[in-house]
Amino acid sequence: QQQVKQSPQSLIVQKGGISIINCAYENTAFDYFPWYQQFPGKGPALLIAIRPDVSEKKEGRFTISFNKSAKQFSLHIMDSQPGDSATYFCAVDTGNQFYFGTGTSLTVIP
Amino acid sequence: SQTIHQWPATLVQPVGSPLSLECTVEGTSNPNLYWYRQAAGRGLQLLFYSVGIGQISSEVPQNLSASRPQDRQFILSSKKLLLSDSGFYLCAWSLTGGVPLHFGNGTRLTVT
């Protein structure tokens, strides 16, 4: 059973554009919503995370928007750069178990 | 600072051979430890997690097993590998009951 559903599977954006990746979940027990960035051949690295008590968190060009009532959260990458080309995973956490979305392959075209 | 070590980085094994992947964490005590598998072009599948020495929870029935002989050591094993065991295996840790999750650099396993 997929704990979190992620879309789109792949995304192509022009340099300077906005990249948006969405995730949806069902279990209201989740209380931590991170996004991870993975480059080929490497392990995923934490990019940004949010708790359900806030609706938005921004770190540099990366923003998480969180909609508790809709049980959805999204990653926005502003001014996308070729170096942002990677696979992005959303995740949910129950305290001891982390479940990941299926990933979004982002390509930023120069 | 905390660091996670995972080895080997790549491994090619024949079908039916045994497997042992090791992961160690430095700079913290009593971490939660995790094994994930990532098939080519796909997401991260949680295989095992451990909240303490000798405490292993399995998420997916398979021919793999995990052990935690020491506080900061996590081992993934198999007695006989299958072709379907090929993939990218990632070890990860988190603070007890806490976040976030930190990953190692993974082991690329190819079963031939």
Side-chain angles (χ1 to χ4, degrees):
Chain A
Q1 180 184 0
Q2 193 74 28
Q3 298 285 351
V4 58
K5 296 181 180 180
Q6 183 173 346
S7 63
Q9 184 175 359
S10 62
L11 184 61
I12 300 174
V13 174
Q14 293 280 349
K15 178 182 176 181
I18 302 174
S19 303
I20 301 175
I21 306 171
N22 302 298
C23 282
Y25 64 97
E26 288 296 327
N27 189 341
T28 56
F30 298 138
D31 62 359
Y32 179 73
F33 302 88
W35 284 91
Y36 283 79
Q37 180 188 56
Q38 184 181 29
F39 293 105
K42 299 294 185 181
L46 179 66
L47 187 61
I48 188 172
I50 198 168
R51 296 278 187 186
D53 54 346
V54 298
S55 60
E56 185 176 282
K57 183 175 181 179
K58 183 177 181 180
E59 291 184 0
R61 296 184 294 108
F62 300 91
T63 300
I64 296 180
S65 296
F66 183 78
N67 187 329
K68 189 174 183 178
S69 60
K71 292 186 282 188
Q72 296 176 349
F73 59 110
S74 59
L75 175 68
H76 296 239
I77 306 174
M78 312 300 288
D79 186 28
S80 298
Q81 299 296 313
D84 297 330
S85 297
T87 300
Y88 293 82
F89 294 95
C90 63
V92 293
D93 164 53
T94 62
N96 282 326
Q97 298 177 44
F98 292 79
Y99 297 99
F100 287 80
T102 50
T104 296
S105 177
L106 172 65
T107 302
V108 181
I109 300 173
Chain B
S1 63
Q2 301 92 350
T3 56
I4 180 169
H5 302 280
Q6 192 178 342
W7 67 92
T10 60
L11 189 61
V12 180
Q13 293 283 96
V15 168
S17 64
L19 173 73
S20 181
L21 302 180
E22 188 166 343
C23 170
T24 59
V25 179
E26 296 179 355
T28 188
S29 296
N30 196 30
N32 288 353
L33 296 172
Y34 305 81
W35 280 111
Y36 284 86
R37 177 170 60 198
Q38 186 174 29
R42 300 185 65 180
L44 296 156
Q45 180 187 32
L46 177 61
L47 300 176
F48 302 95
Y49 71 96
S50 171
V51 299
I53 296 175
Q55 300 178 61
I56 310 293
S57 296
S58 174
E59 286 290 301
V60 181
Q62 60 219 331
N63 73 321
L64 298 172
S65 62
S67 62
R68 184 171 177 172
Q70 300 181 41
D71 180 44
R72 291 169 291 174
Q73 184 184 30
F74 207 22
I75 297 172
L76 183 69
S77 304
S78 174
K79 293 182 179 179
K80 291 185 178 181
L81 284 169
L82 307 173
L83 285 174
S84 58
D85 291 324
S86 293
F88 192 45
Y89 288 83
L90 290 154
C91 181
W93 73 274
S94 70
L95 292 174
T96 301
V99 294
L101 196 61
H102 305 275
F103 285 89
N105 276 328
T107 295
R108 175 73 61 191
L109 172 66
T110 303
V111 182
T112 62

